[in-house]
């Protein structure tokens, strides 16, 4: 017998219902020296995303007329309750997350629209209360958009570079209940933990799902994906309101 995928109406530790996101805020231009920047806040998780445009591409792309979008990810030593030495952050988890951010942004970018240039997204976690990778994607998209706006204003775009928006949320099963956008208090005891990345058109970019303390069946998976889609639509609507009027977002 599968667990119910429609969560009962009950409050979570922070008072939210199961289908509610944490308070979301994205501040554009948080670091004026960068071509694009955004400080994203999801609950108590805060990530500073900056976009740097370089007039070069990796060697394997030279002379091919296309650009590249990539990302780097890291956490400040006191982003968590105990200090994490910088030297300890050079391992696999950071590489996994920065590759996820890069893949997510490239999924909605026309890499031949801005010439042989590289856009580097630096995602630095200021405060971690779970969901850092999803917050990084949500903020990095805004920073990438604003870097393209700088290129557009300088007449350096060949054509509009963004095919769609991209956003991400976490979802999980906590005490038998499917919940959206987990905080650390929930994530640390979740039976199932997922990160979902989707385009504004509703197409999946990536789904990462793990049975941390229990397995899950196809019905539960469908229920959690539907919950993630609900959350991503809200994030996407926020991004679109924030970036309205730039002329760079597809209709």
């Amino acid at each position: 017998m599968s667990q119910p995928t429609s969560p009962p109406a009950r409050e979570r530790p922070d008072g939210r219902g199961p289908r509610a996101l944490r308070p979301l805020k994205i501040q554009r231009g948080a670091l004026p020296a960068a071509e694009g920047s955004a400080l994203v806040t999801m609950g108590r998780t805060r990530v500073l995303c900056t976009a740097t445009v370089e007039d070069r591409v990796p060697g394997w792309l030279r002379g091919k007329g296309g650009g590249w979008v990539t990302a780097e990810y890291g956490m400040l030593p006191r982003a968590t309750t105990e200090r994490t030495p910088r030297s300890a952050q050079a391992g696999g988890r950071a590489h996994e997350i920065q590759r996820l951010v890069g893949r997510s942004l490239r999924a909605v970018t026309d890499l031949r629209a801005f010439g042989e240039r590289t856009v580097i997204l630096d995602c630095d976690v200021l405060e971690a209360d779970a969901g850092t990778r999803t917050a990084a994607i949500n903020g990095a998209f805004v920073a990438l958009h604003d870097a393209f706006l700088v290129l557009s204003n300088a007449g350096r775009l060949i054509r509009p570079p963004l095919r769609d928006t991209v956003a991400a949320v976490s979802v999980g099963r906590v005490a038998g209940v499917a919940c959206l956008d987990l905080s650390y208090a929930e994530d640390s005891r979740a039976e199932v933990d997922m990160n979902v990345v989707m385009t504004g058109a509703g197409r999946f970019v990536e789904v990462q799902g793990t049975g941390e303390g229990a397995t899950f069946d196809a019905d539960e998976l469908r229920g959690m994906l539907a919950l993630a889609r609900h959350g991503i639509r809200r994030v996407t609507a926020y991004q679109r309101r924030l970036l309205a009027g730039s002329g760079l977002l597809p209709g």
Side-chain angles (χ1 to χ4, degrees):
M1 180 75 80
S2 65
Q3 297 287 335
T5 54
S6 297
R10 72 168 177 83
E11 285 192 352
R12 297 156 70 179
D14 57 8
R16 287 181 291 149
R19 292 173 58 83
L21 290 170
R22 292 177 290 180
L24 169 65
K25 179 180 179 181
I26 303 177
Q27 176 190 344
R28 295 171 72 184
L31 206 61
E35 284 82 0
S37 64
L39 175 60
V40 56
T41 302
M42 297 184 74
R44 290 176 53 196
T45 290
R46 295 185 298 141
V47 184
L48 177 62
C49 304
T50 57
T52 300
V53 179
E54 295 186 345
D55 290 326
R56 57 182 179 178
V57 292
W60 51 275
L61 277 175
R62 288 176 194 154
K64 297 183 179 179
W68 189 241
V69 174
T70 188
E72 295 189 9
Y73 170 96
M75 295 176 62
L76 295 186
R78 282 313 304 267
T80 53
T81 55
E82 295 183 359
R83 184 179 186 275
T84 303
R86 297 180 196 275
S87 58
Q89 298 184 42
R93 182 176 181 275
H95 288 163
E96 173 206 346
I97 293 174
Q98 64 193 35
R99 291 178 68 183
L100 170 65
V101 176
R103 286 194 301 270
S104 300
L105 298 175
R106 291 193 296 272
V108 295
T109 303
D110 180 353
L111 296 175
R112 301 187 68 83
F114 52 99
E116 292 198 359
R117 296 183 175 88
T118 297
V119 185
I120 304 167
L121 281 302
D122 287 295
C123 302
D124 293 293
V125 179
L126 308 182
E127 186 174 4
D129 186 35
T132 60
R133 70 187 67 195
T134 57
I137 291 168
N138 297 334
F141 175 76
V142 172
L144 177 65
H145 168 279
D146 286 355
F148 285 145
L149 188 59
V150 169
L151 290 177
S152 176
N153 290 338
R156 296 181 178 179
L157 291 182
I158 298 168
R159 54 183 176 268
L162 292 173
R163 297 190 178 105
D164 204 342
T165 60
V166 68
V169 295
S170 67
V171 64
R173 196 179 78 207
V174 184
V177 178
C179 295
L180 181 66
D181 190 19
L182 304 184
S183 66
Y184 178 76
E186 297 170 314
D187 184 69
S188 61
R189 61 188 181 93
E191 297 115 28
V192 179
D193 183 24
M194 299 183 68
N195 296 293
V196 181
V197 188
M198 297 181 72
T199 68
R203 298 187 65 83
F204 291 103
V205 177
E206 190 143 346
V207 177
Q208 301 177 338
T210 305
E212 298 282 359
T215 58
F216 54 99
D217 63 22
D219 287 340
E220 291 174 286
L221 176 61
R222 282 190 288 269
M224 286 186 285
L225 290 178
L227 187 57
R229 185 181 296 111
H230 163 75
I232 286 173
R233 283 173 178 162
R234 293 186 59 192
V235 177
T236 298
Y238 181 97
Q239 290 171 325
R240 283 192 167 275
R241 288 194 301 271
L242 186 68
L243 303 176
S246 71
L248 291 182
L249 293 184

